[in-house]
Amino acid sequence: MIDSLLAEKVQLGFDIATSVTIITALATWWLESRRRVKNEREVGINERARASSLAKVQSILEEFENAFSQIVLNGTKFERPIDIRLTDKGDGINFSKLALHIAKNRPFIQTQLESLRAFIEGTDHYYETIQKRRYTLLPVLDSIKDGQKIREDFFRDIEEIAQIHNRLGSGWSALLKEYVDLQNIVNETLHDQTLSKEDSIKALISNSDFKDRAFSILLDIDYFSWVSSFVPSGEEENYKDAISNNTADQIRDTVFATYINLTSSSVTKGDELMAQILYGTSCEVQAARIECKDILIKLSALSHKLLSNKEDRPLKEIITDYEEVLGKDTLIR
Protein backbone atom coordinates (compact mmCIF):
# COMPACT_ATOMS: atom_id res chain seq x y z
CA MET A 1 0.00 0.00 0.00
CA ILE A 2 2.72 2.41 1.05
CA ASP A 3 4.84 1.35 -1.90
CA SER A 4 1.90 1.97 -4.20
CA LEU A 5 1.33 5.47 -2.79
CA LEU A 6 5.01 6.27 -3.10
CA ALA A 7 4.97 5.11 -6.68
CA GLU A 8 1.94 7.26 -7.41
CA LYS A 9 3.60 10.32 -5.77
CA VAL A 10 6.76 9.73 -7.76
CA GLN A 11 4.75 9.38 -10.98
CA LEU A 12 2.69 12.48 -10.09
CA GLY A 13 5.87 14.46 -9.39
CA PHE A 14 7.33 13.28 -12.67
CA ASP A 15 4.18 14.24 -14.56
CA ILE A 16 4.12 17.70 -12.93
CA ALA A 17 7.82 18.22 -13.66
CA THR A 18 7.32 17.11 -17.23
CA SER A 19 4.35 19.41 -17.62
CA VAL A 20 6.30 22.36 -16.19
CA THR A 21 9.15 21.62 -18.59
CA ILE A 22 6.78 21.41 -21.54
CA ILE A 23 4.94 24.58 -20.51
CA THR A 24 8.25 26.40 -19.99
CA ALA A 25 9.51 25.22 -23.37
CA LEU A 26 6.27 26.28 -25.03
CA ALA A 27 6.43 29.67 -23.32
CA THR A 28 10.04 30.10 -24.34
CA TRP A 29 9.24 29.12 -27.92
CA TRP A 30 6.26 31.47 -27.99
CA LEU A 31 8.29 34.39 -26.64
CA GLU A 32 11.16 33.64 -28.98
CA SER A 33 8.77 33.41 -31.91
CA ARG A 34 7.24 36.76 -31.01
CA ARG A 35 10.68 38.31 -30.63
CA ARG A 36 11.78 36.88 -33.98
CA VAL A 37 8.62 38.06 -35.72
CA LYS A 38 9.04 41.50 -34.15
CA ASN A 39 12.67 41.67 -35.24
CA GLU A 40 11.77 40.51 -38.73
CA ARG A 41 9.02 43.09 -38.85
CA GLU A 42 11.41 45.83 -37.68
CA VAL A 43 14.03 44.74 -40.19
CA GLY A 44 11.38 44.73 -42.87
CA ILE A 45 10.23 48.20 -41.88
CA ASN A 46 13.81 49.46 -41.79
CA GLU A 47 14.53 47.94 -45.18
CA ARG A 48 11.37 49.41 -46.65
CA ALA A 49 12.24 52.79 -45.12
CA ARG A 50 15.78 52.55 -46.50
CA ALA A 51 14.47 51.56 -49.93
CA SER A 52 12.05 54.48 -49.84
CA SER A 53 14.84 56.88 -48.81
CA LEU A 54 17.10 55.52 -51.52
CA ALA A 55 14.40 56.01 -54.15
CA LYS A 56 13.89 59.61 -53.03
CA VAL A 57 17.60 60.43 -53.02
CA GLN A 58 18.19 58.82 -56.42
CA SER A 59 15.22 60.71 -57.87
CA ILE A 60 16.62 63.99 -56.52
CA LEU A 61 20.11 63.02 -57.71
CA GLU A 62 18.85 62.47 -61.25
CA GLU A 63 17.06 65.82 -61.14
CA PHE A 64 20.25 67.60 -60.08
CA GLU A 65 22.39 65.72 -62.59
CA ASN A 66 20.23 67.05 -65.40
CA ALA A 67 20.28 70.58 -63.96
CA PHE A 68 24.05 70.48 -63.42
CA SER A 69 24.63 69.27 -66.98
CA GLN A 70 22.91 72.42 -68.24
CA ILE A 71 24.94 74.57 -65.83
CA VAL A 72 28.16 73.07 -67.16
CA LEU A 73 27.07 73.59 -70.76
CA ASN A 74 26.24 77.27 -70.24
CA GLY A 75 29.21 77.86 -67.97
CA THR A 76 31.78 76.50 -70.39
CA LYS A 77 30.23 78.49 -73.23
CA PHE A 78 31.06 81.58 -71.23
CA GLU A 79 34.40 80.52 -69.71
CA ARG A 80 36.26 78.90 -72.61
CA PRO A 81 36.30 81.84 -75.06
CA ILE A 82 37.80 83.91 -72.24
CA ASP A 83 40.25 81.39 -70.79
CA ILE A 84 41.83 80.45 -74.15
CA ARG A 85 42.75 84.11 -74.72
CA LEU A 86 44.44 84.72 -71.38
CA THR A 87 48.15 84.38 -70.67
CA ASP A 88 49.53 83.72 -67.20
CA LYS A 89 53.12 84.94 -67.04
CA GLY A 90 53.58 84.04 -63.38
CA ASP A 91 53.40 87.61 -62.14
CA GLY A 92 49.76 87.97 -63.13
CA ILE A 93 47.27 87.50 -65.94
CA ASN A 94 47.99 89.19 -69.27
CA PHE A 95 44.81 90.47 -70.91
CA SER A 96 46.24 91.79 -74.18
CA LYS A 97 45.16 88.83 -76.35
CA LEU A 98 41.61 88.92 -75.01
CA ALA A 99 41.47 92.71 -75.31
CA LEU A 100 42.58 92.49 -78.96
CA HIS A 101 39.87 89.91 -79.67
CA ILE A 102 37.26 92.22 -78.11
CA ALA A 103 38.46 95.14 -80.26
CA LYS A 104 38.24 93.13 -83.47
CA ASN A 105 34.99 91.32 -82.66
CA ARG A 106 32.45 93.69 -81.12
CA PRO A 107 29.60 91.10 -81.21
CA PHE A 108 31.76 88.92 -78.92
CA ILE A 109 30.63 90.83 -75.82
CA GLN A 110 26.96 90.39 -76.64
CA THR A 111 27.50 86.65 -77.18
CA GLN A 112 29.20 86.43 -73.79
CA LEU A 113 26.36 88.29 -72.12
CA GLU A 114 23.85 85.84 -73.57
CA SER A 115 25.88 82.86 -72.32
CA LEU A 116 26.17 84.50 -68.91
CA ARG A 117 22.42 85.11 -68.76
CA ALA A 118 21.73 81.45 -69.54
CA PHE A 119 24.22 80.36 -66.86
CA ILE A 120 22.68 82.61 -64.22
CA GLU A 121 19.20 81.35 -65.06
CA GLY A 122 20.47 77.78 -64.67
CA THR A 123 21.99 78.49 -61.25
CA ASP A 124 18.79 80.28 -60.22
CA HIS A 125 16.83 77.10 -61.02
CA TYR A 126 19.45 74.94 -59.27
CA TYR A 127 19.35 77.11 -56.14
CA GLU A 128 15.55 77.14 -55.97
CA THR A 129 15.44 73.36 -56.45
CA ILE A 130 17.90 72.63 -53.65
CA GLN A 131 15.92 74.91 -51.37
CA LYS A 132 12.79 72.86 -52.07
CA ARG A 133 14.44 69.45 -51.85
CA ARG A 134 16.02 70.09 -48.44
CA TYR A 135 12.66 69.22 -46.87
CA THR A 136 12.94 65.75 -48.38
CA LEU A 137 16.65 65.33 -47.66
CA LEU A 138 16.57 66.41 -44.01
CA PRO A 139 14.72 63.33 -42.64
CA VAL A 140 16.86 61.05 -44.81
CA LEU A 141 20.04 62.52 -43.34
CA ASP A 142 18.63 62.28 -39.81
CA SER A 143 17.85 58.59 -40.31
CA ILE A 144 21.50 57.73 -41.00
CA LYS A 145 23.86 56.94 -38.15
CA ASP A 146 26.26 59.84 -38.86
CA GLY A 147 23.83 61.87 -40.93
CA GLN A 148 23.43 64.60 -38.32
CA LYS A 149 27.09 65.63 -38.77
CA ILE A 150 26.73 65.72 -42.54
CA ARG A 151 23.51 67.69 -42.24
CA GLU A 152 25.50 70.71 -41.00
CA ASP A 153 27.90 70.46 -43.96
CA PHE A 154 25.04 69.96 -46.38
CA PHE A 155 23.16 73.03 -45.25
CA ARG A 156 26.40 75.00 -45.16
CA ASP A 157 26.83 74.08 -48.83
CA ILE A 158 23.32 75.33 -49.54
CA GLU A 159 24.23 78.61 -47.84
CA GLU A 160 27.41 78.84 -49.94
CA ILE A 161 25.35 78.34 -53.10
CA ALA A 162 23.07 81.13 -51.83
CA GLN A 163 26.10 83.40 -51.46
CA ILE A 164 27.36 82.51 -54.93
CA HIS A 165 23.84 83.04 -56.25
CA ASN A 166 23.81 86.53 -54.71
CA ARG A 167 27.30 87.35 -56.05
CA LEU A 168 26.18 86.49 -59.57
CA GLY A 169 23.64 89.25 -59.18
CA SER A 170 25.90 91.82 -57.56
CA GLY A 171 29.56 90.99 -58.21
CA TRP A 172 31.63 90.72 -61.38
CA SER A 173 28.64 89.57 -63.41
CA ALA A 174 26.67 92.68 -62.52
CA LEU A 175 29.72 94.87 -63.10
CA LEU A 176 30.15 93.38 -66.57
CA LYS A 177 26.62 94.37 -67.56
CA GLU A 178 27.09 97.91 -66.22
CA TYR A 179 30.48 98.40 -67.81
CA VAL A 180 29.23 97.18 -71.20
CA ASP A 181 26.65 99.99 -71.13
CA LEU A 182 29.33 102.49 -70.07
CA GLN A 183 31.77 101.36 -72.75
CA ASN A 184 29.10 101.57 -75.43
CA ILE A 185 28.88 105.30 -74.75
CA VAL A 186 32.67 105.55 -74.96
CA ASN A 187 32.75 103.68 -78.27
CA GLU A 188 30.06 105.93 -79.72
CA THR A 189 32.06 108.97 -78.68
CA LEU A 190 35.32 107.60 -80.10
CA HIS A 191 33.62 106.98 -83.45
CA ASP A 192 33.68 110.73 -83.95
CA GLN A 193 36.99 110.92 -85.81
CA THR A 194 37.18 114.70 -85.38
CA LEU A 195 37.74 114.35 -81.61
CA SER A 196 41.15 113.72 -80.13
CA LYS A 197 41.41 111.38 -77.16
CA GLU A 198 41.73 114.36 -74.86
CA ASP A 199 38.61 115.94 -76.33
CA SER A 200 36.82 112.59 -76.09
CA ILE A 201 37.61 112.43 -72.38
CA LYS A 202 36.30 115.97 -71.88
CA ALA A 203 33.16 115.14 -73.85
CA LEU A 204 32.50 112.06 -71.71
CA ILE A 205 33.10 113.85 -68.42
CA SER A 206 30.33 116.31 -69.28
CA ASN A 207 28.01 113.63 -70.69
CA SER A 208 25.23 113.18 -68.10
CA ASP A 209 24.35 109.63 -69.23
CA PHE A 210 27.99 108.56 -69.03
CA LYS A 211 28.40 110.27 -65.66
CA ASP A 212 25.34 108.55 -64.16
CA ARG A 213 26.51 105.13 -65.33
CA ALA A 214 30.10 105.77 -64.19
CA PHE A 215 29.07 106.80 -60.68
CA SER A 216 26.72 103.83 -60.46
CA ILE A 217 29.89 101.73 -60.72
CA LEU A 218 32.22 103.93 -58.68
CA LEU A 219 29.93 104.18 -55.65
CA ASP A 220 28.98 100.49 -55.44
CA ILE A 221 30.93 98.69 -52.70
CA ASP A 222 30.45 95.36 -54.51
CA TYR A 223 32.74 96.65 -57.28
CA PHE A 224 35.47 98.07 -55.07
CA SER A 225 38.05 95.37 -55.84
CA TRP A 226 38.04 96.60 -59.45
CA VAL A 227 37.33 100.30 -58.82
CA SER A 228 40.22 100.56 -56.37
CA SER A 229 42.69 100.64 -59.28
CA PHE A 230 41.30 104.06 -60.29
CA VAL A 231 41.39 105.57 -56.79
CA PRO A 232 44.34 107.96 -56.20
CA SER A 233 47.24 106.15 -54.55
CA GLY A 234 47.05 106.13 -50.76
CA GLU A 235 43.32 106.96 -50.69
CA GLU A 236 41.99 103.43 -51.23
CA GLU A 237 40.92 102.73 -47.62
CA ASN A 238 39.34 106.15 -47.16
CA TYR A 239 37.46 105.69 -50.41
CA LYS A 240 36.27 102.21 -49.40
CA ASP A 241 35.08 103.44 -46.00
CA ALA A 242 33.26 106.38 -47.60
CA ILE A 243 31.27 104.30 -50.09
CA SER A 244 30.61 101.64 -47.44
CA ASN A 245 29.14 104.29 -45.10
CA ASN A 246 27.47 106.33 -47.83
CA THR A 247 29.63 109.37 -47.04
CA ALA A 248 31.24 109.86 -50.46
CA ASP A 249 30.23 113.52 -50.38
CA GLN A 250 32.86 114.04 -47.68
CA ILE A 251 35.68 113.04 -50.06
CA ARG A 252 34.43 114.74 -53.20
CA ASP A 253 37.90 115.53 -54.54
CA THR A 254 38.97 111.88 -54.27
CA VAL A 255 35.74 110.66 -55.87
CA PHE A 256 36.04 113.13 -58.75
CA ALA A 257 39.69 112.15 -59.32
CA THR A 258 38.59 108.51 -59.42
CA TYR A 259 35.92 109.44 -61.95
CA ILE A 260 38.51 111.18 -64.15
CA ASN A 261 40.81 108.14 -63.96
CA LEU A 262 38.00 105.74 -64.92
CA THR A 263 36.97 107.96 -67.82
CA SER A 264 40.53 108.30 -69.12
CA SER A 265 41.20 104.56 -68.82
CA SER A 266 37.92 103.74 -70.56
CA VAL A 267 39.02 105.87 -73.52
CA THR A 268 42.65 104.74 -73.71
CA LYS A 269 42.32 101.04 -72.76
CA GLY A 270 38.62 100.25 -72.56
CA ASP A 271 38.98 96.84 -74.19
CA GLU A 272 41.59 95.81 -71.63
CA LEU A 273 39.29 96.92 -68.80
CA MET A 274 36.52 94.86 -70.38
CA ALA A 275 38.90 91.88 -70.53
CA GLN A 276 39.67 92.28 -66.80
CA ILE A 277 35.98 92.24 -65.93
CA LEU A 278 35.34 89.24 -68.20
CA TYR A 279 38.11 87.36 -66.40
CA GLY A 280 36.66 88.24 -62.97
CA THR A 281 33.23 87.11 -64.15
CA SER A 282 34.69 83.87 -65.50
CA CYS A 283 36.24 83.13 -62.10
CA GLU A 284 32.87 83.83 -60.48
CA VAL A 285 31.12 81.47 -62.91
CA GLN A 286 33.70 78.76 -62.20
CA ALA A 287 33.23 79.12 -58.43
CA ALA A 288 29.45 78.81 -58.83
CA ARG A 289 29.87 75.71 -60.98
CA ILE A 290 32.12 74.04 -58.37
CA GLU A 291 29.67 74.78 -55.55
CA CYS A 292 26.84 73.25 -57.57
CA LYS A 293 28.97 70.17 -58.22
CA ASP A 294 29.74 69.87 -54.50
CA ILE A 295 26.05 69.36 -53.73
CA LEU A 296 25.84 66.74 -56.48
CA ILE A 297 28.80 64.82 -55.03
CA LYS A 298 27.21 64.75 -51.57
CA LEU A 299 23.95 63.45 -53.01
CA SER A 300 25.87 60.76 -54.87
CA ALA A 301 27.67 59.74 -51.66
CA LEU A 302 24.35 59.66 -49.78
CA SER A 303 22.91 57.40 -52.45
CA HIS A 304 25.90 55.05 -52.05
CA LYS A 305 25.44 55.00 -48.27
CA LEU A 306 21.79 53.96 -48.57
CA LEU A 307 22.53 51.48 -51.35
CA SER A 308 25.42 49.67 -49.61
CA ASN A 309 23.78 49.59 -46.15
CA LYS A 310 27.20 49.59 -44.47
CA GLU A 311 26.76 51.27 -41.13
CA ASP A 312 30.47 50.95 -40.32
CA ARG A 313 31.60 53.32 -43.12
CA PRO A 314 30.94 56.96 -42.23
CA LEU A 315 29.17 59.10 -44.82
CA LYS A 316 31.90 61.74 -44.39
CA GLU A 317 34.48 59.20 -45.58
CA ILE A 318 32.40 58.35 -48.65
CA ILE A 319 32.05 62.04 -49.51
CA THR A 320 35.81 62.61 -49.24
CA ASP A 321 36.43 59.60 -51.47
CA TYR A 322 33.87 60.78 -54.04
CA GLU A 323 35.31 64.32 -54.07
CA GLU A 324 38.62 62.85 -55.19
CA VAL A 325 37.19 60.31 -57.64
CA LEU A 326 34.77 62.78 -59.24
CA GLY A 327 37.34 65.59 -59.26
CA LYS A 328 35.48 68.25 -57.29
CA ASP A 329 38.06 70.97 -58.11
CA THR A 330 39.78 69.38 -61.11
CA LEU A 331 37.06 68.09 -63.45
CA ILE A 332 34.36 70.26 -65.01
CA ARG A 333 31.68 67.56 -64.91
Side-chain angles (χ1 to χ4, degrees):
M1 182 70 175
I2 295 175
D3 291 339
S4 176
L5 288 173
L6 287 175
E8 288 179 6
K9 288 182 178 179
V10 170
Q11 182 62 43
L12 180 61
F14 178 79
D15 290 342
I16 292 173
T18 301
S19 298
V20 170
T21 300
I22 293 172
I23 291 171
T24 301
L26 286 171
T28 302
W29 173 84
W30 181 73
L31 290 172
E32 178 63 24
S33 296
R34 284 197 63 185
R35 187 188 66 79
R36 186 170 61 254
V37 169
K38 181 181 178 182
N39 288 341
E40 289 174 353
R41 186 184 299 116
E42 288 178 353
V43 170
I45 291 172
N46 288 339
E47 286 303 316
R48 286 195 297 273
R50 182 179 292 275
S52 176
S53 296
L54 178 60
K56 289 178 181 178
V57 171
Q58 289 185 327
S59 176
I60 294 173
L61 178 60
E62 182 179 0
E63 181 181 19
F64 276 89
E65 284 174 340
N66 294 333
F68 183 68
S69 178
Q70 197 61 41
I71 284 175
V72 169
L73 179 63
N74 293 326
T76 52
K77 276 185 180 179
F78 180 81
E79 294 174 66
R80 281 176 179 166
I82 296 169
D83 295 344
I84 61 174
R85 295 179 175 90
L86 295 174
T87 306
D88 187 353
K89 294 186 176 181
D91 57 346
I93 302 295
N94 186 291
F95 300 101
S96 58
K97 187 177 179 181
L98 179 57
L100 183 62
H101 182 75
I102 294 171
K104 292 183 176 181
N105 301 273
R106 290 302 176 191
F108 173 72
I109 295 298
Q110 189 57 41
T111 300
Q112 291 301 102
L113 286 175
E114 290 171 2
S115 296
L116 179 62
R117 177 187 55 77
F119 177 82
I120 292 176
E121 287 178 356
T123 55
D124 283 348
H125 172 70
Y126 199 89
Y127 173 68
E128 291 302 326
T129 302
I130 196 65
Q131 287 286 22
K132 289 189 296 184
R133 296 296 175 255
R134 61 182 179 157
Y135 291 97
T136 300
L137 292 169
L138 178 59
V140 174
L141 288 168
D142 281 342
S143 69
I144 298 174
K145 185 177 181 181
D146 57 340
Q148 289 81 359
K149 298 176 183 177
I150 302 303
R151 185 177 70 182
E152 296 178 7
D153 292 339
F154 189 81
F155 282 97
R156 190 181 302 114
D157 287 338
I158 294 178
E159 179 58 30
E160 288 174 356
I161 288 182
Q163 293 172 6
I164 285 286
H165 177 266
N166 291 334
R167 281 203 295 273
L168 286 172
S170 62
W172 286 102
S173 303
L175 174 59
L176 175 62
K177 296 171 187 175
E178 290 208 49
Y179 191 72
V180 166
D181 291 337
L182 186 74
Q183 194 60 34
N184 284 339
I185 299 174
V186 175
N187 293 337
E188 289 172 7
T189 303
L190 292 179
H191 272 305
D192 187 348
Q193 301 298 323
T194 64
L195 292 176
S196 65
K197 286 188 176 180
E198 183 177 346
D199 288 337
S200 295
I201 293 172
K202 291 179 180 179
L204 287 168
I205 289 173
S206 59
N207 183 315
S208 60
D209 191 18
F210 177 85
K211 185 177 181 180
D212 289 344
R213 294 182 183 277
F215 276 104
S216 176
I217 293 172
L218 294 175
L219 300 181
D220 193 324
I221 188 60
D222 290 327
Y223 305 151
F224 179 74
S225 61
W226 184 73
V227 169
S228 62
S229 62
F230 307 108
V231 179
S233 180
E235 293 295 321
E236 291 86 357
E237 286 304 314
N238 289 335
Y239 187 93
K240 183 178 182 180
D241 290 341
I243 60 175
S244 295
N245 299 316
N246 198 27
T247 56
D249 58 323
Q250 297 179 10
I251 55 166
R252 290 179 181 177
D253 290 344
T254 301
V255 172
F256 188 72
T258 304
Y259 172 54
I260 297 297
N261 290 339
L262 172 62
T263 305
S264 177
S265 296
S266 295
V267 170
T268 58
K269 55 177 184 178
D271 293 327
E272 184 176 341
L273 296 183
M274 188 74 75
Q276 292 173 6
I277 299 172
L278 280 170
Y279 170 69
T281 307
S282 178
C283 292
E284 202 167 67
V285 166
Q286 182 183 43
R289 180 167 45 74
I290 290 173
E291 285 300 331
C292 290
K293 183 174 181 178
D294 192 35
I295 288 287
L296 198 60
I297 289 173
K298 283 184 171 61
L299 288 173
S300 183
L302 179 58
S303 179
H304 169 88
K305 177 75 173 178
L306 293 168
L307 189 63
S308 64
N309 195 17
K310 291 182 178 179
E311 295 291 343
D312 58 329
R313 191 181 184 197
L315 180 57
K316 186 79 171 178
E317 180 183 312
I318 301 172
I319 291 172
T320 301
D321 182 35
Y322 275 34
E323 285 176 343
E324 181 178 352
V325 172
L326 296 172
K328 174 186 171 182
D329 299 315
T330 56
L331 299 176
I332 293 178
R333 293 187 181 273

